[in-house]
Amino acid sequence: QVQLAESGGGSVQAGGSLRVSCAVSGLPYNRCMGWFRQAPGKEREGVAAIATSGDGTYYADSVKGRFTISRDNAEKTVYLQMNSLNPEDTAMYYCAAQRPWYNCDSRTWSQKGRYIYWGQGTQVTVSS
């Protein structure tokens, strides 16, 4: 069954904004949550991550200052607000969750192997 469900992707002009969402179900514990993206022919890369309490966030250098990750634990939803989008941001965006009780680490948050649950992805396309 799908436990992480992304939504909110679409097409936007360069310089525009999108917000993608990840609805979590079937996961009883809070954990470090992350957003990854993968363009065709390229390796999946970490975009952002957020700690269990929401007071710690981590970003790839390529999106720092443009993207903002947040979470609503009551709604069990993680968001990624993407501003000032450019064509290089075009990719399939995936939501991912680490193990229960695992929190984010400044050195390892972007390592794919630490995430054990993955959504099906939502496509983001940015045109010039």
Side-chain angles (χ1 to χ4, degrees):
Q1 65 175 357
V2 178
Q3 294 181 303
L4 306 179
E6 302 96 334
S7 62
S11 299
V12 65
Q13 295 287 324
S17 299
L18 283 174
R19 187 178 77 163
V20 290
S21 302
C22 174
V24 181
S25 63
L27 299 175
Y29 303 114
N30 287 325
R31 66 200 64 212
C32 175
M33 300 292 299
W35 283 97
F36 289 74
R37 67 185 181 185
Q38 186 169 22
K42 294 187 176 181
E43 187 176 359
R44 188 162 52 200
E45 64 176 348
V47 177
I50 186 166
T52 301
S53 64
D55 61 352
T57 56
Y58 309 87
Y59 298 95
D61 289 340
S62 60
V63 307
K64 194 172 299 182
R66 299 189 297 122
F67 290 11
T68 301
I69 188 171
S70 61
R71 67 191 298 166
D72 185 336
N73 289 334
E75 297 288 337
K76 293 186 177 181
T77 303
V78 183
Y79 303 95
L80 184 68
Q81 178 68 46
M82 302 179 287
N83 298 327
S84 301
L85 287 163
N86 58 65
E88 288 67 42
D89 295 315
T90 295
M92 184 73 74
Y93 283 71
Y94 297 92
C95 179
Q98 293 194 14
R99 292 183 180 275
W101 311 116
Y102 274 46
N103 219 330
C104 303
D105 181 87
S106 62
R107 290 186 173 184
T108 63
W109 68 267
S110 63
Q111 296 179 359
K112 297 184 292 292
R114 286 185 168 264
Y115 296 83
I116 61 172
Y117 296 107
W118 296 83
Q120 78 282 2
T122 185
Q123 179 67 40
V124 172
T125 302
V126 185
S127 60
S128 60

